[in-house]
Amino acid sequence: MKKILIVTMIGVFMISCKNSESEKTSLNLKYPTTKKVDTVTNYFGTEVKDPYRWLEDDRSKETADWVSAQNEVTFNYLTKIPYREELKNRLEKLWNHEKIGSPFKEGEYTYFYKNNGLQNQHVLYRFKGNEEPEVFLDPNTFSEDGTTSLGGLSFSKDGNTIAYAISEGGSDWRKIIIMDAVSKEINEDTLLDVKFSGLSWKGNEGIYYSSYEKPKGSELSAKTDQHRLFYHKLGTSQKEDIIIFGDKQKRRYVGGGVTEDGKYLIISASVSTSGNELYIKDLSNPNSAIIPIITNFDYDTSVIDNDEDTLLLLTNLDAPNKRVVKVNAKNPTPENWIDIISETNNVLNVTTASKSIFANYMVDAVSQVQQYDYNGTLIREIKLPGIGTVGGFNGKSTDELIYYSFTNYTTPGSIYSFKPANGESKLYVKPAIDFNSDNFESTQVFYTSKDGTKIPMIISYKKGTELNGKNPTILYGYGGFNISLTPSFSIANAVWMEQGGIYAVPNLRGGGEYGKAWHDAGTKQQKQNVFDDFIAAAEYLIENNYTSSGYLAIRGGSNGGLLVGATMTQRPSLMKVALPAVGVMDMLRYHTFTAGAGWAYDYGTSEDSKEMFEYLKGYSPVHNVKEGVEYPATMVTTGDHDDRVVPAHSFKFAAELQAKQSGSNATLIRIETNAGHGAGTPVSKTIEQYADIFGFTLYNMGYKELPSKTNVKG
């Protein structure tokens, strides 16, 4: 995220002494006047006003001036919080430790990522044999302010050439740079305008990548609807790149990857974020056709590896919690599939390395891992360092040593080495962080939602915390897109808990913690289940004296921002503070921006039917802010260059709140300029943002000093 520019407010957005219905004073706050326009859309006979639609124009001077005006008010407020710098200093101190990633081998070199502590971006190092590591790629040199990040990379088969993507200002639009990995010299023109793309090599000859045509309107907000897979041959111009898939078939998301042995190209295509078609092409035969494996969007299926002509696939077809099957590549359709790891009661995800399948089962949101051979024979159950989340267990078929990570809410992430041949596991890297995990604890509870469904929640806090209803608490949720919230350590949350704060994470419906049925139970006209689950989590924390409404903050980002927006408009007195980040707030128009139409599996759209329109309007945060209601203290956060969930969502929601808030609670919007959805955010800006979020939260709970220093509130 880029540096905030605080400028003088001008034009129609000036803070005026004149009377205005959208100008309110609270805690000495005077909000900028936000003009209204007479924009009305008719949905199935119902006219819906959209007075702030002009804020959707991210290229207009008016919108830029509004952003500057809002930021001036917000940052003037935040600078008055007495312990803002104290929080920032503690975050910096805790953040300032060396972070090292798992090593991986490409060609003659071994590579690994490292951050010395407060570097804005992780640096990619490499070494050969017993040589000292050298810097290979340093994203901190890509831009002066650290906002250009490394967005993925891939090495050629021999490891001598690398293709890497960069993201500027957090944008989903990327540039691909191709470089000689030995000499570190860039050897051809940069590939431009690449979006939502993996990078996969065809031997040493060229790469497959995916993108859309650049939209005619704003590249930050205009709809992108037809994704295509390209092949770029080294030494040729991007204009000569061949369209492999997606030219005649209109798909919103298309990806292509080459199997490790280089024999097959696997193509996945989808129209939404759930369900995909799957195709295969034999690269050993230049004239081979693209053969379908799955030709509908009803299920999620991927090729995880191959053994000669035998494909291994992970699928939820006839297995909502997923299974692993094998099939001959010449006859790859489902009627020929043979189970090798059958479905269980727990959700399955898999990785491969050393010709082994590592089955990572999610059991009430925590990891259990088993190792299988390619025939589905169990080799061993892997003993993990504790109860938490593991990642990794992946590598090449020839790797004799692989790595995995372990973490939970109170344990900083450590890396372990693992020998697939004998199951030997050793600690490889443990972070030297100024945080004593022994002083903190996590407990998992199961509470009952509105319709009787049992929902798990993990609550983390300092040992000895008195359950007296007066603990500052952040309730964090997501609940969508089959995404699972599993225990992981966060430096920011560690600082929150050091202050005596409680951090609670429920596993809401809409997520993937219990498979496809759990996901589907929080989609379309069952979306209210997600909000009910979140509300019930808050009620559980209050009823069991972890906290009370005066000490409760709710937080979430993206789909989680929608969760916060819907919850605070449905139950405004339930919490003291609301922290919606980069949220989907206008449910009637979300599908008209960038790739938003691809979210329809989870949401449905206002164009689907009258019933779907009415359901969406019933919870859409922008459309449910009401006059005369006292809403919690709110700080909306977004980036003005977010091209995934466009900032207009947050702009319009903040404008509605400022116009209609009846109480004295602060209603602010914090807008990072030249920043996107969050990927590649510089460490320095992340620290500043958390200091502001925690400072705003505690200040509005009434704390004059940090809770770790005093129990006295203002």
Side-chain angles (χ1 to χ4, degrees), residues 518-592:
W518 193 255
H519 174 208
D520 288 346
T523 60
K524 295 188 174 73
Q525 294 192 34
Q526 297 187 91
K527 188 67 178 176
Q528 184 61 41
N529 286 338
V530 185
F531 313 140
D532 290 342
D533 292 355
F534 200 53
I535 289 167
E539 292 173 337
Y540 178 92
L541 293 169
I542 293 168
E543 289 166 5
N544 289 274
N545 290 322
Y546 287 95
T547 191
S548 57
S549 291
Y551 296 87
L552 177 64
I554 59 173
R555 184 165 182 256
S558 197
N559 174 73
L562 162 63
L563 172 68
V564 172
T567 301
M568 66 179 283
T569 51
Q570 292 182 15
R571 291 288 300 277
S573 63
L574 184 61
M575 73 295 299
K576 182 62 179 176
V577 177
L579 301 164
V582 293
V584 188
M585 300 301 199
D586 185 343
M587 297 309 297
L588 301 186
R589 287 179 56 76
Y590 78 87
H591 61 291
T592 65

Side-chain angles (χ1 to χ4, degrees), residues 43-92:
Y43 297 91
F44 302 98
T46 299
E47 291 193 340
V48 179
K49 294 181 179 180
D50 194 357
Y52 304 119
R53 187 175 294 183
W54 62 272
L55 286 168
E56 294 177 2
D57 186 356
D58 53 79
R59 296 183 296 180
S60 78
K61 184 177 183 299
E62 279 191 325
T63 301
D65 290 342
W66 186 88
V67 167
S68 296
Q70 291 288 346
N71 269 343
E72 183 160 333
V73 171
T74 296
F75 284 94
N76 282 342
Y77 179 95
L78 294 172
T79 56
K80 292 180 174 63
I81 295 173
Y83 36 78
R84 182 192 189 203
E85 284 301 311
E86 202 172 343
L87 283 168
K88 181 182 174 183
N89 291 339
R90 180 54 184 156
L91 283 160
E92 283 184 345

Side-chain angles (χ1 to χ4, degrees), residues 404-600:
Y404 69 93
S405 62
F406 173 81
T407 184
N408 58 38
Y409 289 118
T410 61
T411 305
S414 295
I415 296 173
Y416 293 79
S417 64
F418 181 82
K419 290 183 178 179
N422 60 15
E424 181 184 346
S425 184
K426 290 183 178 179
L427 180 65
Y428 178 73
V429 173
K430 182 179 180 180
I433 183 173
D434 182 24
F435 179 81
N436 188 351
S437 298
D438 293 337
N439 294 336
F440 299 84
E441 63 181 313
S442 291
T443 182
Q444 186 174 55
V445 302
F446 290 82
Y447 65 91
T448 304
S449 191
K450 183 178 181 179
D451 65 355
T453 302
K454 292 291 185 183
I455 312 293
M457 174 166 59
I458 296 179
I459 310 169
S460 305
Y461 45 85
K462 189 182 294 184
K463 288 180 179 177
T465 296
E466 184 181 354
L467 302 186
N468 57 10
K470 296 181 180 180
N471 301 300
T473 299
I474 290 178
L475 177 63
Y476 181 88
Y478 189 79
F481 296 92
N482 200 38
I483 290 173
S484 303
L485 296 187
T486 60
S488 63
F489 184 78
S490 157
I491 294 171
N493 293 335
V495 170
W496 175 256
M497 290 189 292
E498 282 182 339
Q499 296 304 319
I502 290 175
Y503 185 70
V505 182
N507 298 109
L508 313 172
R509 281 174 285 183
E513 290 87 351
Y514 295 102
K516 185 172 173 57
W518 193 255
H519 174 208
D520 288 346
T523 60
K524 295 188 174 73
Q525 294 192 34
Q526 297 187 91
K527 188 67 178 176
Q528 184 61 41
N529 286 338
V530 185
F531 313 140
D532 290 342
D533 292 355
F534 200 53
I535 289 167
E539 292 173 337
Y540 178 92
L541 293 169
I542 293 168
E543 289 166 5
N544 289 274
N545 290 322
Y546 287 95
T547 191
S548 57
S549 291
Y551 296 87
L552 177 64
I554 59 173
R555 184 165 182 256
S558 197
N559 174 73
L562 162 63
L563 172 68
V564 172
T567 301
M568 66 179 283
T569 51
Q570 292 182 15
R571 291 288 300 277
S573 63
L574 184 61
M575 73 295 299
K576 182 62 179 176
V577 177
L579 301 164
V582 293
V584 188
M585 300 301 199
D586 185 343
M587 297 309 297
L588 301 186
R589 287 179 56 76
Y590 78 87
H591 61 291
T592 65
F593 304 112
T594 61
W599 310 336

Side-chain angles (χ1 to χ4, degrees), residues 169-182:
S171 174
D172 283 332
W173 290 100
R174 307 290 166 91
K175 296 176 180 177
I176 297 175
I177 298 168
I178 299 174
M179 186 173 78
D180 185 306
V182 179

